[in-house]
Amino acid sequence: MVVAPPNPVRSEKPEPIELPVIDLSADRSEVSKLIVKACEQYGFFKAVHHGVPDDVIAAMEEEGLGFFTKPVCEKQRAGPAGPFGYGIKSIGFNGDSGEVEYLLLHTNPSSICQLSHTISDDPKKFSSAVSGYIEAVKRLACEILDLMAEGLGVHEPSLLSNMIRDVDSDSMFRLNRYPPSSFHTPAPPHRATTTTEIGFGEHTDPQMLTILRSNDVGGLQICVAGGTWVPVTPDPTAFCINVGDVLQAMTNGRFMSVRHRALTNGFKYRMSMAYFGAPPPHAWLSVPPELVTPHRPLLYRPFNWAEYKKASYSLRLGDSRLQLFLK
């Protein structure tokens, strides 16, 4: 991927992409077909009637906002992110940066509990809100992975979801806050332009899948055919689901792990909450035999998550990783 440039991004406001909106409470066989179609065509979809309670979401949003509105000196008690904890502008270990501040947490309850003492004045409340939210979106992720497996015709429907149910799952949770653009200037009356900055640079998610929620402020963009960047309309009533690199590999390339990025908004703060479902470090990641055919031969060699994660951490944010694991 391309490293986030320091300069503002000026565009003529391309038309937002209308991602598939899938009602998870509908007929199961139809839902599984719609999910497979969305993941093959877009790599993204929006999920409604998802079963995550409103009070669980509200509690997590309250804790996230409470942290980000603290003075910088207090937030820095939880940093620097290495990789877990508080970070600002610096992303990863290889020089990438963006207009973002974030909290990155491992989903292990003991890790959350330990770090919460540096994050919150009421660590018990913070830890409870985070753990409750993670458990709810983890259930959602498992349900979606089961629906994916069914729609793909995988013989063992829980093959994918068992990897993030595992007690040693390496799943992570990230809170991001993007500031209003410091470069924003009012556009001339005859031009509908917006000047923004790169909040989080172009990348794919290395894990299996991502469950993303944001407030009603736009900023997420995905890269479509031809390399065009298009904005995703924000919807605070839905979760945005996207395929990660591991899932692209395990579906033998049928699902797409799509490049995406986050831009700052001209006037408002944007806060997002992302759950990254990942396998245990030493889980063997191989394509189910049902997804290998004479017309679709094996694309990727088997590997484990520890191996893939190491490769990811050694590269820049915008670098391609899956090509290193082609058969």
Side-chain angles (χ1 to χ4, degrees):
M1 279 186 234
V2 178
V3 177
N7 297 321
V9 176
R10 193 170 182 83
S11 69
E12 297 294 328
K13 284 190 174 180
E15 287 297 315
I17 189 169
E18 295 302 325
L19 294 175
V21 178
I22 300 178
D23 181 352
L24 297 184
S25 67
D27 176 75
R28 187 175 182 88
S29 62
E30 184 63 22
V31 170
S32 65
K33 292 175 186 176
L34 290 172
I35 289 176
V36 168
K37 183 178 179 181
C39 293
E40 290 178 333
Q41 293 185 341
Y42 296 92
F44 275 79
F45 65 91
K46 292 181 179 180
V48 296
H49 297 141
H50 42 69
V52 180
D54 289 342
D55 60 331
V56 170
I57 295 170
M60 187 64 258
E61 290 176 335
E62 179 184 353
E63 291 300 315
L65 185 60
F67 174 78
F68 285 127
T69 53
K70 284 184 171 186
V72 173
C73 61
E74 292 186 29
K75 289 184 283 192
Q76 287 177 333
R77 291 175 51 214
F84 302 114
Y86 174 69
I88 182 167
K89 295 195 175 182
S90 178
I91 301 170
F93 304 108
N94 300 304
D96 293 291
S97 63
E99 291 300 316
V100 63
E101 59 177 335
Y102 61 91
L103 268 177
L104 182 62
L105 306 170
H106 196 282
T107 58
N108 181 284
S110 61
S111 176
I112 294 169
C113 182
Q114 181 179 0
L115 199 55
S116 66
H117 290 275
T118 64
I119 294 171
S120 175
D121 297 329
D122 189 342
K124 186 175 181 180
K125 182 184 177 188
F126 179 86
S127 182
S128 176
V130 173
S131 295
Y133 183 83
I134 286 173
E135 280 304 309
V137 293
K138 177 182 175 181
R139 285 194 296 271
L140 173 60
C142 288
E143 176 66 9
I144 288 170
L145 287 168
D146 286 346
L147 287 162
M148 288 174 172
E150 291 172 27
L152 288 167
V154 175
H155 180 69
E156 185 183 345
S158 59
L159 174 70
L160 301 174
S161 62
N162 280 345
M163 292 191 178
I164 63 173
R165 286 193 184 98
D166 194 290
V167 67
D168 294 321
S169 164
D170 195 35
S171 300
M172 296 186 294
F173 177 59
R174 185 178 181 121
L175 285 162
N176 296 309
R177 190 171 80 149
Y178 303 95
S181 173
S182 60
F183 286 100
H184 181 81
T185 55
H190 62 286
R191 295 185 68 192
T193 59
T194 301
T195 303
T196 56
E197 298 168 90
I198 296 292
F200 204 102
E202 177 186 350
H203 65 286
T204 60
D205 294 339
Q207 296 88 356
M208 295 186 72
L209 86 169
T210 302
I211 310 286
L212 176 73
R213 183 179 179 84
S214 65
N215 57 4
D216 59 353
V217 178
L220 176 64
Q221 293 189 333
I222 67 174
C223 189
V224 297
T228 302
W229 287 99
V230 293
V232 175
T233 304
D235 183 353
T237 68
F239 281 95
C240 191
I241 317 296
N242 68 273
V243 173
D245 295 349
V246 166
L247 197 54
Q248 176 172 320
M250 292 191 71
T251 59
N252 204 29
R254 281 188 59 176
F255 288 1
M256 296 191 303
S257 180
V258 174
R259 289 173 179 263
H260 52 284
R261 66 184 184 182
L263 303 185
T264 61
N265 182 275
F267 298 102
K268 299 178 181 178
Y269 279 99
R270 175 174 180 262
M271 189 174 81
S272 65
M273 308 187 298
Y275 168 84
F276 303 99
H282 300 294
W284 198 241
L285 307 173
S286 58
V287 179
E290 298 90 335
L291 302 184
V292 181
T293 69
H295 299 292
R296 186 179 284 272
L298 189 65
L299 290 177
Y300 303 99
R301 65 175 177 83
F303 56 91
N304 63 37
W305 171 241
E307 183 182 4
Y308 196 77
K309 185 176 178 180
K310 181 179 179 181
S312 299
Y313 278 21
S314 69
L315 300 172
R316 300 294 294 265
L317 184 63
D319 291 337
S320 296
R321 300 172 289 257
L322 267 177
Q323 66 182 14
L324 302 176
F325 294 82
L326 289 171
K327 191 174 184 300

